[in-house]
Amino acid sequence: MSDFDDIIGRYIASWNERDPQRRRAAIDQLWTEDATYTDPLADVAGRGAIDGMIAAVQGQFPDFDFRLGQPVDAHHHIGRFTWELGPEGGEAVVAGFDVAVLDDTGRIKSVLGFLDKVPAA
């Protein structure tokens, strides 16, 4: 379980990394080459597309950070966790629930995301 905690900790950190080169390096280490990410607003495949999606979210919420909600719950190669997005020390404006699937080497091969709280349009 501690391996999964570390992986999800690095996953959350990659969403907060604002330097494009460091973010991409983190993605390359964390995700498989053909990884996929799917949530109600995005469906992307490959590290480049995942990087672009994260950059777009950062552009939409430039002063907000992601943080882990409740502890990671994992078994086999599957982990689920909640997350929040909001200003540092402030109330989350977006919250969700993700399921991550790892390959045999411990890299993320897919994330399926669900949005539980979103700002009004």
Side-chain angles (χ1 to χ4, degrees):
M1 182 77 101
S2 63
D3 288 344
F4 234 112
D5 290 334
D6 176 63
I7 291 165
I8 300 308
R10 291 187 294 132
Y11 169 80
I12 295 290
S14 72
W15 280 86
N16 291 326
E17 180 56 66
R18 300 285 195 286
D19 179 88
Q21 286 80 25
R22 288 195 305 249
R23 183 180 59 242
R24 183 55 193 259
I27 289 168
D28 288 348
Q29 290 177 352
L30 193 57
W31 295 80
T32 63
E33 195 170 323
D34 61 347
T36 60
Y37 177 94
T38 305
D39 71 17
L41 304 174
D43 186 13
V44 299
R47 293 175 183 159
I50 291 166
D51 186 27
M53 176 194 57
I54 292 172
V57 171
Q58 290 176 350
Q60 186 176 2
F61 299 99
D63 299 323
F64 290 176
D65 288 317
F66 282 90
R67 55 188 174 254
L68 190 62
Q70 298 176 345
V72 178
D73 181 23
H75 62 82
H76 297 87
H77 295 295
I78 304 166
R80 64 179 179 164
F81 55 97
T82 59
W83 53 266
E84 300 176 338
L85 174 66
E88 186 176 338
E91 183 179 342
V93 297
V94 183
F97 174 98
D98 286 0
V99 175
V101 180
L102 306 183
D103 72 358
D104 290 336
T105 68
R107 285 189 165 165
I108 298 172
K109 65 179 179 180
S110 69
V111 171
L112 304 170
F114 298 85
L115 299 173
D116 299 322
K117 177 182 177 182
V118 295

